[in-house]
Amino acid sequence: MPVISAPHDFNEGHLFVDLKPVVDHPLYLKCEGFNFAGSIKLKAANEMVESAERDGILKPDSVIVESSSGNLGVALSMIAASKGYRFLCVTDSRCNLSTRLLMEALGSRVHIVADLDENGGFLGTRLEYVRSLCASDDRYVWLSQYTNPGNWQAHYRTTAPQIARHFPRLDVLFVGTGTAGTLMGCARYFRQWHRPVRIVAVDSVGSVAFGGEPGRRMIPGLGMSMRPPLLDESYVNEVVRVEEADTIRACHRMARRGFLFGGSTGTVVSGATEWLSRHGTPDITAVAIAPDLGERYLDTIYQTNWLQDLYGDQILDGGQILDGELAATLESDDPAPREPDRWP
Protein backbone atom coordinates (compact mmCIF):
# COMPACT_ATOMS: atom_id res chain seq x y z
CA MET A 1 0.00 0.00 0.00
CA PRO A 2 1.32 3.49 -0.79
CA VAL A 3 2.14 6.01 1.91
CA ILE A 4 1.12 9.54 0.88
CA SER A 5 1.38 13.01 2.37
CA ALA A 6 -1.09 14.82 0.07
CA PRO A 7 -4.59 13.55 -0.80
CA HIS A 8 -4.15 14.08 -4.55
CA ASP A 9 -1.17 11.72 -4.56
CA PHE A 10 -3.54 8.72 -4.50
CA ASN A 11 -5.79 7.88 -7.44
CA GLU A 12 -6.65 4.28 -8.32
CA GLY A 13 -6.66 4.16 -12.12
CA HIS A 14 -6.55 0.44 -12.88
CA LEU A 15 -9.91 -0.83 -11.65
CA PHE A 16 -12.42 -2.14 -14.21
CA VAL A 17 -15.81 -3.79 -13.71
CA ASP A 18 -17.12 -6.43 -16.11
CA LEU A 19 -20.70 -5.23 -16.66
CA LYS A 20 -21.84 -8.03 -18.94
CA PRO A 21 -23.84 -9.75 -16.16
CA VAL A 22 -25.67 -6.44 -15.60
CA VAL A 23 -26.26 -5.09 -19.13
CA ASP A 24 -26.16 -8.35 -21.16
CA HIS A 25 -23.51 -6.93 -23.50
CA PRO A 26 -19.71 -7.14 -23.39
CA LEU A 27 -18.74 -3.94 -21.59
CA TYR A 28 -15.94 -3.06 -19.19
CA LEU A 29 -16.37 -0.05 -16.92
CA LYS A 30 -13.30 1.96 -15.92
CA CYS A 31 -13.95 3.18 -12.38
CA GLU A 32 -12.58 6.66 -11.72
CA GLY A 33 -14.15 7.36 -8.34
CA PHE A 34 -11.59 5.72 -6.07
CA ASN A 35 -9.64 8.71 -4.85
CA PHE A 36 -10.12 11.24 -2.06
CA ALA A 37 -12.10 13.55 -4.34
CA GLY A 38 -14.41 10.72 -5.42
CA SER A 39 -14.36 11.35 -9.17
CA ILE A 40 -12.38 11.59 -12.38
CA LYS A 41 -12.25 15.36 -11.94
CA LEU A 42 -9.27 14.99 -9.61
CA LYS A 43 -7.07 14.45 -12.67
CA ALA A 44 -8.08 17.67 -14.40
CA ALA A 45 -8.05 19.66 -11.16
CA ASN A 46 -4.53 18.56 -10.28
CA GLU A 47 -3.23 19.24 -13.79
CA MET A 48 -4.74 22.73 -13.92
CA VAL A 49 -3.51 23.73 -10.46
CA GLU A 50 0.01 22.46 -11.06
CA SER A 51 0.14 24.22 -14.44
CA ALA A 52 -0.96 27.49 -12.83
CA GLU A 53 1.72 27.06 -10.18
CA ARG A 54 4.42 26.42 -12.79
CA ASP A 55 3.34 29.51 -14.72
CA GLY A 56 3.39 31.69 -11.60
CA ILE A 57 -0.33 32.44 -11.85
CA LEU A 58 -1.13 31.10 -8.37
CA LYS A 59 0.39 33.06 -5.51
CA PRO A 60 0.11 32.64 -1.71
CA ASP A 61 -2.77 35.15 -1.50
CA SER A 62 -4.63 33.79 -4.53
CA VAL A 63 -8.26 32.70 -4.35
CA ILE A 64 -9.01 29.94 -6.83
CA VAL A 65 -12.46 30.35 -8.37
CA GLU A 66 -14.20 27.91 -10.67
CA SER A 67 -17.63 27.18 -12.07
CA SER A 68 -18.63 23.58 -11.36
CA SER A 69 -21.77 21.49 -11.08
CA GLY A 70 -20.10 19.49 -8.35
CA ASN A 71 -17.27 17.01 -8.85
CA LEU A 72 -14.58 19.43 -10.01
CA GLY A 73 -15.52 21.68 -7.13
CA VAL A 74 -14.87 18.87 -4.67
CA ALA A 75 -11.55 18.03 -6.31
CA LEU A 76 -10.40 21.65 -6.24
CA SER A 77 -11.59 21.99 -2.64
CA MET A 78 -9.43 19.06 -1.64
CA ILE A 79 -6.36 20.28 -3.51
CA ALA A 80 -6.78 23.85 -2.26
CA ALA A 81 -7.02 22.62 1.34
CA SER A 82 -3.93 20.49 0.89
CA LYS A 83 -1.86 23.27 -0.69
CA GLY A 84 -3.10 26.14 1.46
CA TYR A 85 -5.13 28.06 -1.13
CA ARG A 86 -8.60 29.49 -0.70
CA PHE A 87 -11.26 28.25 -3.11
CA LEU A 88 -14.67 29.58 -4.17
CA CYS A 89 -16.95 27.31 -6.17
CA VAL A 90 -19.70 28.90 -8.26
CA THR A 91 -22.48 26.39 -8.80
CA ASP A 92 -26.26 26.25 -9.20
CA SER A 93 -29.33 24.71 -7.62
CA ARG A 94 -28.79 21.34 -9.34
CA CYS A 95 -25.64 20.74 -7.31
CA ASN A 96 -26.27 17.86 -4.91
CA LEU A 97 -26.52 18.96 -1.29
CA SER A 98 -23.96 16.35 -0.22
CA THR A 99 -21.50 17.74 -2.79
CA ARG A 100 -21.93 21.26 -1.48
CA LEU A 101 -21.46 20.09 2.11
CA LEU A 102 -18.29 18.25 1.10
CA MET A 103 -16.81 21.41 -0.39
CA GLU A 104 -17.67 23.42 2.70
CA ALA A 105 -16.25 20.72 5.00
CA LEU A 106 -12.96 21.08 3.11
CA GLY A 107 -12.93 24.82 3.83
CA SER A 108 -14.23 26.12 0.52
CA ARG A 109 -16.96 28.68 -0.01
CA VAL A 110 -19.87 27.97 -2.33
CA HIS A 111 -21.94 30.49 -4.28
CA ILE A 112 -25.21 29.24 -5.81
CA VAL A 113 -26.65 31.08 -8.81
CA ALA A 114 -30.41 30.94 -9.32
CA ASP A 115 -31.05 32.66 -12.66
CA LEU A 116 -31.24 30.68 -15.89
CA ASP A 117 -29.15 31.72 -18.89
CA GLU A 118 -30.46 32.24 -22.42
CA ASN A 119 -30.20 28.50 -23.18
CA GLY A 120 -32.33 27.54 -20.21
CA GLY A 121 -29.36 26.36 -18.14
CA PHE A 122 -27.23 27.90 -15.43
CA LEU A 123 -23.78 27.78 -17.01
CA GLY A 124 -23.94 31.20 -18.63
CA THR A 125 -25.01 32.76 -15.33
CA ARG A 126 -22.24 30.99 -13.46
CA LEU A 127 -19.59 32.15 -15.91
CA GLU A 128 -20.85 35.72 -15.79
CA TYR A 129 -20.51 35.69 -12.01
CA VAL A 130 -16.97 34.28 -12.19
CA ARG A 131 -15.92 36.94 -14.70
CA SER A 132 -17.33 39.70 -12.49
CA LEU A 133 -15.37 38.38 -9.51
CA CYS A 134 -12.11 38.27 -11.44
CA ALA A 135 -12.69 41.80 -12.74
CA SER A 136 -13.30 43.07 -9.22
CA ASP A 137 -10.16 41.67 -7.54
CA ASP A 138 -6.95 40.36 -9.13
CA ARG A 139 -6.47 37.87 -6.29
CA TYR A 140 -9.13 35.68 -7.92
CA VAL A 141 -7.60 33.09 -10.26
CA TRP A 142 -10.03 31.37 -12.63
CA LEU A 143 -8.65 28.06 -13.87
CA SER A 144 -11.46 27.79 -16.47
CA GLN A 145 -12.00 24.08 -16.92
CA TYR A 146 -13.96 24.86 -20.09
CA THR A 147 -10.95 26.28 -21.96
CA ASN A 148 -7.90 25.08 -20.01
CA PRO A 149 -5.83 22.61 -22.09
CA GLY A 150 -4.76 20.93 -18.86
CA ASN A 151 -8.28 19.53 -18.70
CA TRP A 152 -7.78 17.23 -21.71
CA GLN A 153 -4.02 16.80 -21.27
CA ALA A 154 -4.59 15.11 -17.91
CA HIS A 155 -6.54 12.34 -19.61
CA TYR A 156 -4.15 12.10 -22.54
CA ARG A 157 -1.37 11.41 -20.02
CA THR A 158 -3.25 9.14 -17.60
CA THR A 159 -6.77 7.89 -18.40
CA ALA A 160 -6.23 6.77 -21.99
CA PRO A 161 -2.88 5.01 -21.37
CA GLN A 162 -4.42 3.18 -18.42
CA ILE A 163 -7.17 1.84 -20.71
CA ALA A 164 -4.67 0.95 -23.43
CA ARG A 165 -2.54 -1.01 -20.98
CA HIS A 166 -5.42 -3.27 -19.95
CA PHE A 167 -7.17 -3.56 -23.33
CA PRO A 168 -4.63 -3.70 -26.18
CA ARG A 169 -7.40 -4.93 -28.54
CA LEU A 170 -9.84 -2.13 -27.68
CA ASP A 171 -12.54 -1.63 -30.33
CA VAL A 172 -14.83 1.07 -28.94
CA LEU A 173 -14.61 3.60 -26.10
CA PHE A 174 -17.64 5.34 -24.58
CA VAL A 175 -16.92 8.70 -22.94
CA GLY A 176 -19.42 11.05 -21.31
CA THR A 177 -19.29 14.67 -22.43
CA GLY A 178 -19.39 17.70 -20.17
CA THR A 179 -16.47 20.07 -20.66
CA ALA A 180 -15.15 17.45 -23.15
CA GLY A 181 -11.83 17.22 -21.32
CA THR A 182 -11.97 13.45 -20.79
CA LEU A 183 -13.36 12.92 -24.28
CA MET A 184 -10.70 14.94 -26.08
CA GLY A 185 -7.78 13.61 -24.06
CA CYS A 186 -8.77 9.99 -24.73
CA ALA A 187 -9.74 10.62 -28.36
CA ARG A 188 -6.44 12.32 -29.13
CA TYR A 189 -4.49 9.48 -27.53
CA PHE A 190 -6.30 6.71 -29.39
CA ARG A 191 -6.13 8.59 -32.71
CA GLN A 192 -2.37 7.92 -32.56
CA TRP A 193 -2.66 4.34 -31.32
CA HIS A 194 -1.59 1.16 -33.13
CA ARG A 195 -5.18 0.21 -34.09
CA PRO A 196 -8.36 2.15 -34.83
CA VAL A 197 -10.66 2.74 -31.85
CA ARG A 198 -14.20 3.98 -32.32
CA ILE A 199 -14.84 6.96 -30.04
CA VAL A 200 -18.49 7.28 -28.99
CA ALA A 201 -19.37 10.44 -27.10
CA VAL A 202 -22.30 10.13 -24.69
CA ASP A 203 -24.36 13.25 -24.01
CA SER A 204 -27.56 14.05 -22.14
CA VAL A 205 -30.79 14.91 -23.94
CA GLY A 206 -31.29 18.64 -23.45
CA SER A 207 -27.58 19.39 -23.68
CA VAL A 208 -26.42 21.55 -26.59
CA ALA A 209 -22.81 20.34 -26.57
CA PHE A 210 -23.23 18.77 -30.00
CA GLY A 211 -26.04 21.04 -31.17
CA GLY A 212 -29.77 20.58 -30.88
CA GLU A 213 -32.41 22.21 -28.75
CA PRO A 214 -31.74 22.93 -25.07
CA GLY A 215 -33.96 21.19 -22.55
CA ARG A 216 -34.42 20.57 -18.86
CA ARG A 217 -31.57 18.69 -17.20
CA MET A 218 -31.84 17.94 -13.49
CA ILE A 219 -28.90 15.56 -13.01
CA PRO A 220 -25.56 17.39 -12.69
CA GLY A 221 -22.43 16.20 -14.42
CA LEU A 222 -22.71 15.51 -18.13
CA GLY A 223 -24.15 17.90 -20.68
CA MET A 224 -23.63 21.58 -21.38
CA SER A 225 -25.85 24.57 -22.09
CA MET A 226 -23.21 25.82 -24.55
CA ARG A 227 -20.81 24.20 -26.99
CA PRO A 228 -17.67 23.09 -25.08
CA PRO A 229 -14.72 25.21 -26.27
CA LEU A 230 -12.42 22.17 -25.91
CA LEU A 231 -14.55 20.02 -28.20
CA ASP A 232 -13.16 19.01 -31.62
CA GLU A 233 -15.76 16.78 -33.26
CA SER A 234 -13.29 15.53 -35.86
CA TYR A 235 -12.01 13.14 -33.16
CA VAL A 236 -15.49 11.74 -32.43
CA ASN A 237 -17.00 8.93 -34.49
CA GLU A 238 -20.50 9.03 -33.07
CA VAL A 239 -22.68 10.76 -30.48
CA VAL A 240 -25.30 8.97 -28.36
CA ARG A 241 -27.82 11.06 -26.43
CA VAL A 242 -29.45 9.66 -23.30
CA GLU A 243 -32.71 10.65 -21.64
CA GLU A 244 -32.46 11.31 -17.90
CA ALA A 245 -35.04 8.60 -17.25
CA ASP A 246 -32.68 6.08 -18.86
CA THR A 247 -29.79 7.43 -16.78
CA ILE A 248 -31.78 6.78 -13.61
CA ARG A 249 -32.80 3.29 -14.69
CA ALA A 250 -29.20 2.38 -15.50
CA CYS A 251 -28.07 3.57 -12.07
CA HIS A 252 -30.73 1.52 -10.29
CA ARG A 253 -30.02 -1.53 -12.43
CA MET A 254 -26.36 -1.44 -11.38
CA ALA A 255 -27.29 -0.73 -7.75
CA ARG A 256 -29.42 -3.87 -7.64
CA ARG A 257 -26.22 -5.77 -8.46
CA GLY A 258 -24.28 -4.00 -5.70
CA PHE A 259 -22.59 -1.30 -7.80
CA LEU A 260 -23.58 2.19 -6.65
CA PHE A 261 -22.55 4.69 -9.33
CA GLY A 262 -23.34 8.34 -9.95
CA GLY A 263 -25.54 10.00 -12.51
CA SER A 264 -22.74 10.63 -15.00
CA THR A 265 -21.86 6.94 -14.93
CA GLY A 266 -25.50 5.97 -15.40
CA THR A 267 -25.67 8.14 -18.51
CA VAL A 268 -22.53 6.62 -20.00
CA VAL A 269 -23.62 3.05 -19.25
CA SER A 270 -27.09 3.65 -20.69
CA GLY A 271 -25.62 5.14 -23.87
CA ALA A 272 -23.11 2.33 -24.22
CA THR A 273 -25.77 -0.33 -23.69
CA GLU A 274 -28.00 1.21 -26.35
CA TRP A 275 -25.11 1.43 -28.82
CA LEU A 276 -24.00 -2.15 -28.18
CA SER A 277 -27.54 -3.43 -28.66
CA ARG A 278 -27.35 -2.07 -32.22
CA HIS A 279 -23.69 -2.57 -33.13
CA GLY A 280 -22.15 -4.97 -30.65
CA THR A 281 -20.80 -8.42 -31.43
CA PRO A 282 -19.91 -11.22 -28.99
CA ASP A 283 -16.19 -10.64 -29.47
CA ILE A 284 -16.18 -6.82 -29.33
CA THR A 285 -13.91 -5.15 -26.75
CA ALA A 286 -15.82 -2.19 -25.36
CA VAL A 287 -14.88 0.10 -22.48
CA ALA A 288 -16.89 2.90 -20.85
CA ILE A 289 -15.53 5.45 -18.40
CA ALA A 290 -17.35 5.80 -15.06
CA PRO A 291 -16.61 9.33 -13.78
CA ASP A 292 -17.98 8.96 -10.25
CA LEU A 293 -19.61 6.85 -7.55
CA GLY A 294 -23.15 7.08 -6.21
CA GLU A 295 -22.99 8.33 -2.62
CA ARG A 296 -23.45 11.97 -3.63
CA TYR A 297 -26.70 11.08 -5.40
CA LEU A 298 -28.46 9.42 -2.48
CA ASP A 299 -30.79 12.40 -2.04
CA THR A 300 -31.57 12.66 -5.77
CA ILE A 301 -31.47 9.72 -8.21
CA TYR A 302 -31.60 7.17 -5.36
CA GLN A 303 -34.35 9.01 -3.45
CA THR A 304 -37.86 7.87 -4.34
CA ASN A 305 -39.70 11.12 -3.60
CA TRP A 306 -37.22 13.18 -5.66
CA LEU A 307 -37.61 10.80 -8.60
CA GLN A 308 -41.38 10.73 -8.50
CA ASP A 309 -41.73 14.50 -8.12
CA LEU A 310 -39.61 15.16 -11.20
CA TYR A 311 -40.22 12.14 -13.44
CA GLY A 312 -43.48 10.57 -12.31
CA ASP A 313 -44.48 7.32 -10.60
CA GLN A 314 -43.38 5.12 -13.51
CA ILE A 315 -39.77 6.31 -13.65
CA LEU A 316 -38.48 2.94 -12.43
CA ASP A 317 -40.49 0.94 -14.95
CA GLY A 318 -43.45 0.39 -12.67
CA GLY A 319 -41.40 -1.39 -10.03
CA GLN A 320 -39.17 -3.64 -12.17
CA ILE A 321 -36.08 -2.13 -10.55
CA LEU A 322 -37.41 -1.04 -7.18
CA ASP A 323 -40.13 -3.40 -6.01
CA GLY A 324 -43.19 -2.00 -4.34
CA GLU A 325 -42.23 -3.06 -0.81
CA LEU A 326 -38.79 -1.47 -1.04
CA ALA A 327 -40.21 1.68 -2.62
CA ALA A 328 -42.73 2.02 0.20
CA THR A 329 -39.95 1.61 2.78
CA LEU A 330 -37.85 4.30 1.13
CA GLU A 331 -40.79 6.68 0.94
CA SER A 332 -41.47 6.30 4.66
CA ASP A 333 -37.83 6.52 5.76
CA ASP A 334 -36.43 9.31 3.56
CA PRO A 335 -36.01 12.62 5.40
CA ALA A 336 -37.34 15.84 3.94
CA PRO A 337 -34.77 17.46 1.63
CA ARG A 338 -32.81 20.26 3.21
CA GLU A 339 -32.78 23.59 1.44
CA PRO A 340 -29.23 24.84 0.75
CA ASP A 341 -28.16 28.10 2.30
CA ARG A 342 -26.93 30.84 0.02
CA TRP A 343 -23.58 32.56 0.28
CA PRO A 344 -23.65 36.09 -1.21
Side-chain angles (χ1 to χ4, degrees), residues 48 51-62 85 138-143:
M48 292 189 296
S51 177
E53 289 177 329
R54 288 193 301 268
D55 294 342
I57 297 172
L58 279 174
K59 300 177 175 59
D61 65 341
S62 294
Y85 297 114
D138 59 10
R139 290 177 298 175
Y140 286 106
V141 175
W142 181 21
L143 298 177

Side-chain angles (χ1 to χ4, degrees), residues 304-330:
T304 304
N305 293 337
W306 187 87
L307 292 177
Q308 292 178 341
D309 288 346
L310 289 174
Y311 303 99
D313 292 340
Q314 302 304 311
I315 181 60
L316 297 181
D317 290 333
Q320 293 177 20
I321 299 175
L322 271 182
D323 58 56
E325 182 179 351
L326 177 59
T329 301
L330 290 176

Side-chain angles (χ1 to χ4, degrees), residues 9 30 44 61 99 101 122 133 171 221 260 266 276 294 308 333:
D9 288 341
K30 186 179 193 306
D61 65 341
T99 299
L101 294 176
F122 293 99
L133 280 179
D171 294 307
L260 195 72
L276 289 168
Q308 292 178 341
D333 290 347

Side-chain angles (χ1 to χ4, degrees), residues 81 101 110 122 159 164 179 189 203 230 245 259 262 280 284:
L101 294 176
V110 180
F122 293 99
T159 309
T179 64
Y189 181 91
D203 197 13
L230 295 177
F259 294 108
I284 194 171

